[in-house]
Amino acid sequence: MFHGVLKLFYLFFYVSAESRKMSSTSQKHRNFVSEPMGDKAVTELAGIGEKLGGRLFDQGFDKAYVVLGQFLILKKNEELFKDWLKDTCGANAQQQTNCHECLKEWCDAFL
């Protein structure tokens, strides 16, 4: 009986943790990190909508892989990347975080 209670306790907290993890990222984020980058538009990055995407495009960052290149040039440093994103396209703190986490998770999966 005690073993069964422990098993239920474990399953409850494990499932709860996984649910919180999934709900903390957007569907856009999950879609992006689920497959190779290929030739995806910059607007497919989490945190980058049409407005920011247009600003990035105007600066020469038309594809997600070009933004990835900048992320890698900055040695995947969170603070440097977020500052660059803010300076380049005016991304707010949430957009910076979403984009950084998206690229970080993609790199962890594919590099």
Side-chain angles (χ1 to χ4, degrees):
M1 170 103 178
F2 182 70
H3 179 69
V5 170
L6 281 177
K7 188 175 181 180
L8 285 173
F9 182 76
Y10 170 78
L11 287 173
F12 172 77
F13 282 100
Y14 177 78
V15 169
S16 293
E18 287 300 306
S19 295
R20 283 191 304 275
K21 183 178 173 185
M22 280 191 71
S23 66
S24 69
T25 59
S26 66
Q27 185 63 49
K28 189 175 183 181
H29 173 104
R30 291 189 297 275
N31 290 345
F32 190 87
V33 302
S34 70
E35 61 188 13
M37 193 172 302
D39 204 33
K40 291 181 181 180
V42 69
T43 53
E44 292 189 52
L45 286 163
I48 307 298
E50 293 300 320
K51 188 173 185 178
L52 296 183
R55 292 176 186 166
L56 286 166
F57 184 92
D58 291 344
Q59 297 290 320
F61 297 90
D62 57 334
K63 300 290 183 180
Y65 66 79
V66 182
V67 176
L68 171 65
Q70 184 65 29
F71 180 70
L72 295 174
I73 286 170
L74 296 173
K75 299 182 179 182
K76 301 191 274 187
N77 180 286
E78 181 175 0
E79 183 179 351
L80 291 176
F81 180 74
K82 287 179 173 183
D83 286 345
W84 172 82
L85 204 56
K86 179 181 177 184
D87 295 342
T88 304
C89 66
N92 66 33
Q94 186 62 55
Q95 293 162 329
Q96 295 165 31
T97 297
N98 291 346
C99 189
H100 172 266
E101 289 301 313
C102 183
L103 288 172
K104 180 180 178 295
E105 190 172 325
W106 188 91
C107 286
D108 290 346
F110 292 98
L111 296 184

